[in-house]
Amino acid sequence: MSDHAPTGLAGIDQLPWGTHLCQFFGSGDQLRETLVPYFKAGLENGERCLLVAMDPFGADDARSALRSAVGDFDRRELLKQIEIHDVRTWYAAGSRIDGVQIVEGLLRSEAQARADGYSGFRTNGNIGWVEPGQWADFQDYEARVTRGLKGRRMISMCSYCLDRCGPQEVLDVVCRHDFTVACEGNGWSAQATGRDETARLNESERHLSVLVRELEHRIKNNLATVQALAGFTVRRAGTLEEFEKSFTGRIAALSRTHSLLTDGAQGQVPLRQLVENELSIYADRDDGRLLVAGPDVDLPAQVAVSFGMAIHELTTNAVKHGALSARGGRLEVDWYRTGGDLQFEWSERDLRFIVEPARTGFGTQLLKRLLPHQLDARVELNFEPDGLKARIRLPL
């Protein structure tokens, strides 16, 4: 007897028995696209099936769709090979969720299905009924399901509406399932989200928390950058037309930098391109405030992402407080090879009363902690009286 079960989903094929999946959907059509082939495959594989449905793909919708997809659906339902329940008759709204009791019931159903001669037990439930006050208890239940399914001939998929999930809710769900089912183009894919329960929770939660924090920081930083760009451009534009042309060009350059950093398909990224994509939007040819010099150096894409973030943080700081702000000053950026290393130097000059910030911000942490950890770089930051001096030595 096979140790895998067919999913019925294009692009996924089979999954091991004992798998607990989560699905994020945006519409009733997406539920139909997954649940109909998912249960059709289970029925044809000789499994007993349980569907707990609700809008936007309710019990009647599911029954009608499966009747069209499975020729003898009515007979199978009459024999109770498949049961379809409305969520309102299955769960009591607002009641306390007893995860232990529900999991024990599922495992008894799996054992009974096997005793009745079925090859396994397949379930799905739409989780839209869970209220905020029930969330913690339900996620405890989800973790218990993941543990309880191990060694069982059972496949269970939970469907979550994206409109009702924020970043923290997505994090909670992904951490408590073996696989995450997501729509990609014209098909669906299943991404493994962990191995051992404890390792999965710690590793996935840490990784996703970092991504969420980085996303929030980038959004705030981008808004501040756009605001600074607008002010920078207004101060130098003689007419509305000049402002529009300059501002549009600078926003386009900022967009190119972000595209460059997120394009994982590039094997090498020119350092000069990283620097110029960040700084060219602040360069005025007639004032000599900005000087960039250095030989051609290509960085591996994974190095370029971290190093590009560092350049972006230095640039943002210069726009807010330093040589690219309204206070004036000059910025000199230079780099060169020394042995097998890259020496990168960022020098802000002709400013006054520069003091080191009392609080360590994201940019400083990135430079002093992330670059040494990820790239084995040596970083010096000195807040001198006339401006910030940064030196980064990076093994190539």
Side-chain angles (χ1 to χ4, degrees):
M1 187 176 291
S2 173
D3 58 355
H4 283 67
T7 68
L9 305 178
I12 302 177
D13 194 22
Q14 295 188 333
L15 287 173
W17 284 113
T19 295
H20 189 202
L21 306 94
C22 61
Q23 174 206 12
F24 292 101
F25 68 91
S27 66
D29 287 341
Q30 288 190 345
L31 281 175
R32 179 181 289 103
E33 290 171 3
T34 51
L35 296 187
V36 172
Y38 172 77
F39 279 109
K40 182 175 186 292
L43 292 172
E44 294 176 348
N45 193 44
E47 304 168 28
R48 176 170 281 166
C49 301
L50 170 65
L51 168 58
V52 181
M54 66 175 290
D55 290 337
F57 188 61
D60 291 340
D61 298 321
R63 188 172 283 109
S64 175
L66 280 166
R67 184 176 288 117
S68 298
V70 181
D72 57 349
F73 172 81
D74 289 331
R75 180 185 66 84
R76 293 176 187 267
E77 186 177 27
L78 184 64
L79 294 174
K80 293 190 179 298
Q81 183 186 0
I82 181 169
E83 295 183 42
I84 301 177
H85 297 273
D86 187 285
V87 72
R88 291 168 294 185
T89 66
W90 193 258
Y91 296 105
S95 63
R96 181 181 178 277
I97 297 172
D98 188 337
V100 174
Q101 182 179 358
I102 299 175
V103 172
E104 288 178 350
L106 286 173
L107 298 184
R108 284 196 300 271
S109 296
E110 183 267 349
Q112 187 61 55
R114 297 291 308 284
D116 292 342
Y118 292 102
S119 63
F121 185 46
R122 177 174 302 222
T123 72
N124 172 263
N126 188 327
I127 315 303
W129 59 273
V130 176
E131 299 176 0
Q134 299 173 300
W135 184 260
D137 286 341
F138 191 80
Q139 291 308 305
D140 175 71
Y141 155 73
E142 291 279 53
R144 291 178 183 275
V145 172
T146 299
R147 294 192 297 267
L149 262 58
K150 302 310 177 191
R152 300 280 188 153
R153 293 185 68 81
M154 183 172 172
I155 298 286
S156 183
M157 181 165 69
C158 305
S159 298
Y160 287 83
C161 180
L162 278 172
D163 290 342
R164 299 193 60 180
C165 294
Q168 184 59 52
E169 286 74 25
V170 171
L171 172 64
D172 290 342
V173 173
V174 169
C175 287
R176 289 164 176 82
H177 291 78
D178 298 308
F179 289 85
T180 300
V181 178
C183 182
E184 292 187 355
N186 295 323
W188 294 80
S189 67
Q191 177 67 44
T193 55
R195 301 165 297 279
D196 174 75
E197 174 69 16
T198 302
R200 176 173 60 253
L201 288 174
N202 293 338
E203 180 180 342
S204 298
E205 187 165 341
R206 182 171 60 252
H207 176 65
L208 290 174
S209 293
V210 169
L211 291 179
V212 169
R213 288 198 302 271
E214 182 179 329
L215 176 61
E216 291 175 345
H217 170 75
R218 286 192 179 189
I219 291 172
K220 293 177 182 178
N221 224 19
N222 286 345
L223 291 174
T225 300
V226 171
Q227 185 179 23
L229 275 177
F232 184 90
T233 308
V234 163
R235 290 193 296 270
R236 288 160 176 77
T239 65
L240 181 61
E241 288 75 14
E242 288 179 8
F243 169 80
E244 181 180 6
K245 181 178 180 180
S246 298
F247 186 65
T248 301
R250 285 166 174 162
I251 291 296
L254 184 64
S255 175
R256 288 194 299 272
T257 295
H258 283 276
S259 297
L260 181 69
L261 294 181
T262 55
D263 185 1
Q266 299 188 62
Q268 299 284 325
V269 177
L271 173 58
R272 183 178 301 278
Q273 188 175 358
L274 277 180
V275 174
E276 291 184 349
N277 275 5
E278 285 288 345
L279 293 177
S280 63
I281 53 182
Y282 306 104
D284 282 350
R285 297 178 181 177
D286 59 348
D287 66 4
R289 294 179 64 189
L290 178 62
L291 174 64
V292 176
D296 292 338
V297 175
D298 289 333
L299 301 177
Q302 64 272 22
V303 173
V305 170
S306 298
F307 203 74
M309 288 176 62
I311 297 172
H312 179 73
E313 293 302 326
L314 287 168
T315 303
T316 301
N317 182 74
V319 171
K320 292 179 179 177
H321 314 292
L324 298 178
S325 70
R327 302 171 57 204
R330 293 186 297 119
L331 172 61
E332 298 177 3
V333 182
D334 188 19
W335 64 90
Y336 53 90
R337 290 179 178 271
T338 172
D341 295 348
L342 170 70
Q343 183 76 20
F344 182 88
E345 298 185 355
W346 176 284
S347 299
E348 298 181 31
R349 305 182 186 280
D350 298 340
L351 293 166
R352 294 293 181 267
F353 309 114
I354 295 297
V355 295
E356 185 169 358
R359 184 174 63 89
T360 301
F362 178 88
T364 302
Q365 292 186 42
L366 184 145
L367 287 161
K368 288 188 173 181
R369 299 180 184 179
L370 180 66
L371 292 189
H373 175 71
Q374 289 193 345
L375 306 181
D376 196 26
R378 284 175 286 174
V379 178
E380 296 178 24
L381 290 180
N382 297 304
F383 291 86
E384 299 182 1
D386 67 335
L388 171 67
K389 308 295 189 294
R391 297 176 180 86
I392 303 173
R393 192 179 180 99
L394 174 71
L396 291 179

